[in-house]
Amino acid sequence: MKNIKLAALQNKKRTVIQVGNVKFGKDFVVIAGPCSVEGEEQTLEIAFAVKEAGAHMIRGGAFKPRTSPYAFQGLGLKGLKILEKVREKTGLSVVSEVLDIRDVSWMCEYIDVLQIGARNMQNFSLLKEVGKKNTPVLLKRGMYSTLSEWLNCAEYILNEGNPNVILCERGIRTFETYTRNTLDLSAVSAIKELTHLPIIVDPAHGTGRASLILPMSLAAVASGADGLIVEVHNNPEVALSDKDQALTPKQFSEMAKKVRALRTFMENLN
Ligand code: PEP
Ligand code: MN
């Protein structure tokens, strides 16, 4: 693939990125949590529940990229302080989205992995800024992006010196409207041919439907993904964002069990 140098697999070893006590690219990493951090009690309750169910990390947006300026925009610094407390109390590592180049440095103090969302995949100044840090970056695929465009964005980060890039397939926009996006699982296998970077799958944004998260999570395991990021809410009906695609803690726990079983089966196949 043209101009993909640092990210290209070629003869390089596969990248392993350690966050807390899990290794992306080696372990099957499960990240779970609310779309948005809505409050301390809510986030703590979800965090303890997903930890109990076997999640390795918690997710939660403090800065939300919303389609409407009138929709909940996230709690900002307050949300990050909540995530810091959640990390302290549960021992779970934290991933949260950075929207703005001005927030990169100080956000690194509060969280373990910086998420760059689909809408910012090609925000080149943001990519360069996170590339100057050592904090791992979860780079989501843009909703209209080819694999080449996506890997070029990873290349921007690597080229600035940050080797810790984790890719995330989160669905692309097609003519289909039943699902929020079309989860492109062929991308996972293709990415494995093209790059040494780990790749995880987001079946929540990939489908927009809670009922499709379990089957697509299992399919993600079968496709060779290195992990999953899933939205979980203690009371999905009243979630301030993405309520239709959030699992309850109980649903998540059942899903996590099946995911582990399939992963073990897959490992024994190899
Ligand atoms: C999110 O993770 O809540 C999010 C906004 O994801 P994406 O950028 O994939 O839409
Ligand atoms: Mn969301």
Side-chain angles (χ1 to χ4, degrees), residues 35 59 64 180 205 231 242 245:
C35 178
R59 62 148 290 146
K64 296 304 301 176
R180 180 178 181 183
H205 294 87
E231 291 191 338
D242 287 351
Q245 62 187 46

Side-chain angles (χ1 to χ4, degrees), residues 33-36 59 61 64-66 97 115 119 140 170 180 202 204-205 231 241-243 245:
C35 178
S36 302
R59 62 148 290 146
K64 296 304 301 176
R66 304 306 300 281
E97 178 164 355
Q115 175 173 318
R119 292 156 189 81
K140 288 192 146 196
R170 48 78 73 205
R180 180 178 181 183
D202 176 346
H205 294 87
E231 291 191 338
S241 56
D242 287 351
K243 66 187 178 62
Q245 62 187 46

Side-chain angles (χ1 to χ4, degrees), residues 128-141:
K128 286 185 187 168
E129 193 67 16
V130 299
K132 295 195 180 90
K133 308 289 171 197
N134 212 34
T135 303
V137 178
L138 183 65
L139 181 64
K140 288 192 146 196
R141 182 181 184 181

